[in-house]
Amino acid sequence: MTTPSNQTPSTCPCGSGKAFAQCCNLYLSGKTYPNNAEFLMRSRYSAYVIGNLPYLKKSWHPDTYPELSEQDLQTKWLRLEVIKAKKGLKKSIVEFKAWFEDDDAEHALHEISLFKLYKKRWVYVQPLESWD
């Protein structure tokens, strides 16, 4: 799924199969906030697809947030595959592949991501080397 950052997709980019308005846009618009790390990771992927920089900053742990700009959001994202998720009370891990296009070729970002509860909200912390 590719959508220029100035257009709203009809089907959610996160791969849920739901309409964007009934899925990640609920989070990206601020109407609600994801109640687990997998939903947060999916909504962050959607934020990258449509170029929602404020949501990415809000959903990133302040200790690990890099200063991003609109230029950092120019990647053409194609689809998301959640491989597995481990839910915890204060920290969770989600492994995924995010497919993107670069130089007319398809590539995948494969990451095992750490999420933690911060001020009663799930936030992205950093990639992990492994599940250990």
Side-chain angles (χ1 to χ4, degrees):
M1 147 138 295
T2 58
T3 301
S5 59
N6 62 350
Q7 292 183 354
T8 302
S10 55
T11 303
C12 195
C14 82
S16 68
K18 297 179 182 177
F20 180 63
Q22 307 311 129
C23 195
C24 288
N25 194 49
L26 294 171
Y27 309 128
L28 301 179
S29 68
K31 290 180 183 169
T32 189
Y33 197 81
N35 62 4
N36 70 51
E38 183 179 337
F39 289 162
L40 178 67
M41 189 279 307
R42 288 178 176 278
S43 67
R44 287 174 50 80
Y45 173 81
S46 292
Y48 274 104
V49 170
I50 67 166
N52 187 327
L53 188 58
Y55 183 79
L56 290 170
K57 185 171 185 174
K58 176 175 135 178
S59 62
W60 210 308
H61 195 286
D63 292 345
T64 58
Y65 176 74
E67 285 301 319
L68 295 177
S69 71
E70 295 294 330
Q71 298 297 66
D72 297 315
L73 302 180
Q74 300 305 310
T75 301
K76 184 177 180 181
W77 295 101
L78 304 172
R79 68 185 177 284
L80 177 68
E81 173 190 354
V82 175
I83 297 167
K84 67 179 178 175
K86 179 181 174 188
K87 295 179 182 180
L89 295 176
K90 295 188 178 180
K91 72 175 189 176
S92 293
I93 300 171
V94 179
E95 182 176 3
F96 67 91
K97 285 185 180 178
W99 299 87
F100 63 97
E101 187 178 295
D102 186 35
D103 293 329
D104 294 326
E106 194 173 278
H107 303 276
L109 166 68
H110 183 188
E111 185 173 305
I112 300 169
S113 300
L114 174 63
F115 295 85
K116 289 186 178 178
L117 273 180
Y118 176 77
K119 296 186 178 181
K120 299 182 182 180
R121 289 184 170 198
W122 285 104
V123 292
Y124 171 76
V125 179
Q126 64 191 20
L128 298 174
E129 291 293 320
S130 68
W131 277 88
D132 298 332

